[in-house]
Amino acid sequence: MAAICVFCASSRTLDQRWLDLATETGAELARRGHTLVSGGGCVGMMGALADGARSAGGRTLGVIPQSLVDLEVADLASDELLVTDSMASRKTLMIEKSDAFLTLPGGLGTLDELFEVWTTATLALHAKPMVLIDTDGFFRPLLDWLDSLAEQNFLKTAGRDLLTVATTVPEALDALESRLT
């Protein structure tokens, strides 16, 4: 099957519902036979995501910079853990190792990863599918702003349309799978 990269929060102070969403996502990826590619952390939603995948028999590939390994937040239980020299090289390697991208709720790091993948897609540097899970309207303000960018011609409609929005994990994975070649 596919290597699906999931971007999400690594905060240790999140509500349980976000950790549950990450666990569900990892488990559903594994049930469908996909490999999880993640940021290689063992905390927050990132850790719950990897644990969910492994609990359902899935393969996990983590990509993490040495600076985070030094902070002892690396997912040492990963089937494969790739250590990079920087956050920038981490993103590049995650893009290279993945067939598709799924974004869960998160903060600045999650948005940075999403925008990196999305921007490179708009530049035709890859044609890998991207889906954002908008659980409980988490991303609604961002999506409204992005739509306003398109309305003002700061974002081409074709570029905006590269990002699919789903509200549930099964809907998101169905959308990704339908676009995988």
Side-chain angles (χ1 to χ4, degrees):
M1 297 302 300
I4 298 179
C5 184
V6 179
F7 303 131
C8 61
S10 61
S11 172
R12 298 175 197 247
T13 61
L14 299 173
D15 289 343
Q16 186 62 44
R17 70 184 180 131
W18 301 121
L19 300 174
D20 293 344
L21 176 64
T23 301
E24 175 192 357
T25 302
E28 187 63 19
L29 279 170
R31 278 193 289 276
R32 293 182 184 218
H34 300 298
T35 294
L36 168 66
V37 178
S38 76
C42 65
V43 295
M45 290 176 72
M46 199 180 305
L49 175 73
D51 289 343
R54 284 191 289 272
S55 73
R59 182 176 188 282
T60 59
L61 166 63
V63 183
I64 190 167
Q66 183 63 53
S67 60
L68 295 180
V69 173
D70 295 344
L71 291 175
E72 298 181 354
V73 296
D75 180 13
L76 300 178
S78 287
D79 293 301
E80 186 176 0
L81 187 65
L82 303 176
V83 180
T84 64
D85 63 354
S86 68
M87 293 293 279
S89 59
R90 173 202 213 183
K91 287 186 291 184
T92 299
L93 192 55
M94 290 169 78
I95 293 169
E96 290 172 3
K97 294 286 186 181
S98 302
D99 300 310
F101 304 93
L102 181 63
T103 303
L104 297 176
L108 292 177
T110 301
L111 293 173
D112 175 54
E113 292 163 335
L114 167 65
F115 283 115
E116 175 89 12
V117 168
W118 195 1
T119 300
T120 54
T122 65
L123 297 171
L125 298 176
H126 70 82
K128 299 173 183 181
M130 302 168 291
V131 175
L132 179 109
I133 298 184
D134 187 27
T135 301
D136 297 335
F138 181 88
F139 286 109
R140 178 51 33 210
L142 175 64
L143 294 168
D144 290 343
W145 177 71
L146 291 166
D147 289 340
S148 77
L149 288 180
E151 291 166 8
Q152 298 177 64
N153 298 315
F154 286 103
L155 171 62
K156 292 179 182 176
T157 303
R160 171 64 179 87
D161 291 345
L162 290 173
L163 181 67
T164 301
V165 179
T167 57
T168 68
V169 173
E171 178 189 355
L173 291 176
D174 288 347
L176 281 180
E177 290 169 342
S178 72
R179 293 192 50 221
L180 285 169
T181 55

